[in-house]
């Protein structure tokens, strides 16, 4: 089963543990796109997912200077299968791009904290604006907020 933790672009929240349980019940594996949540806020492997993918182009690298992605797996067997496919397909980053991602990760926590503060302020403002019909942000109290709060490490302001 392949899904996103936070869907792009309506930011609906998926419960990794429950979806992974359903996948395993039917002999399938779960593959989670964690691009929008990033490992700073949530590590889906700890919640039962088998494979996690990230676009490193966006938050991880963070400076709009690299196109990259990564696959994180649980266990040696899956790791060997992914490595086999990657080795055959040739999807390997150049050293400079690896360094851009590494450098981006060094400031990831600071950027994410600030981005969430800003997103919370903007979404709160829009929520009260008379010309705005709906706001999609899981950090606001509402039907998605409880799920979001379960795995969210940071306090909302
Ligand atoms: C942008 C995006 C991708 C693709 O990332 P690229 O690095 O641009 O190829 C994958 N998943 C999600 C959720 C995205 O928003």
């Amino acid at each position: 089963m392949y899904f996103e933790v936070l869907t792009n672009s309506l930011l609906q929240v998926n419960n990794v543990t429950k979806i992974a349980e359903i996948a395993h019940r039917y002999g399938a594996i779960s593959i989670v796109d964690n691009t929008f949540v990033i490992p700073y806020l949530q590590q889906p492997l700890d919640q039962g997912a088998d494979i996690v993918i990230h676009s490193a182009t966006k938050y991880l690298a963070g400076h709009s200077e690299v196109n990259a992605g990564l696959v994180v797996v649980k266990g040696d067997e899956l790791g060997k299968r992914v490595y086999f496919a990657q080795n055959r397909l040739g999807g390997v980053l150049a050293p400079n791009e690896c360094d851009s991602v590494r450098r981006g990760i060094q400031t990831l926590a600071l950027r994410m904290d600030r981005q969430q503060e800003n997103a919370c302020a903007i979404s709160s403002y829009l929520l009260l604006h008379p010309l705005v019909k709906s706001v999609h942000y899981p950090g606001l109290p509402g039907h998605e907020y409880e799920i979001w709060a379960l795995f969210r490490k940071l306090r909302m302001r």
Side-chain angles (χ1 to χ4, degrees), residues 33-64:
D33 186 329
N34 200 37
T35 295
F36 270 23
V37 183
I38 66 142
Y40 175 60
L41 299 175
Q42 173 174 255
Q43 294 93 37
L45 292 184
D46 293 342
Q47 298 176 303
D50 301 292
I51 298 179
V52 182
I53 63 171
H54 291 276
S55 165
T57 305
K58 295 169 183 159
Y59 297 120
L60 291 178
H63 296 83
S64 303

Side-chain angles (χ1 to χ4, degrees), residues 34-140:
N34 200 37
T35 295
F36 270 23
V37 183
I38 66 142
Y40 175 60
L41 299 175
Q42 173 174 255
Q43 294 93 37
L45 292 184
D46 293 342
Q47 298 176 303
D50 301 292
I51 298 179
V52 182
I53 63 171
H54 291 276
S55 165
T57 305
K58 295 169 183 159
Y59 297 120
L60 291 178
H63 296 83
S64 303
E65 64 187 7
V66 64
N67 286 317
L70 53 115
V71 179
V72 186
V73 303
K74 182 182 275 181
D76 283 346
E77 192 201 319
L78 270 177
K80 284 178 185 160
R81 289 171 62 185
V82 169
Y83 176 76
F84 181 83
Q86 185 186 21
N87 192 30
R88 295 306 179 275
L89 295 170
V92 178
L93 282 182
N96 277 351
E97 292 162 324
C98 293
D99 196 52
S100 292
V101 175
R102 180 203 57 76
R103 194 184 57 196
I105 289 172
Q106 287 182 315
T107 57
L108 183 63
L110 291 170
R111 289 186 286 110
M112 291 314 293
D113 287 348
R114 178 56 63 88
Q115 286 171 3
Q116 287 191 77
E117 285 174 27
N118 292 346
C120 211
I122 292 167
S123 58
S124 299
Y125 171 80
L126 292 173
L127 198 62
L128 299 174
H129 197 285
L131 296 178
V132 174
K133 286 189 179 161
S134 64
V135 178
H136 299 273
Y137 181 64
L140 293 173

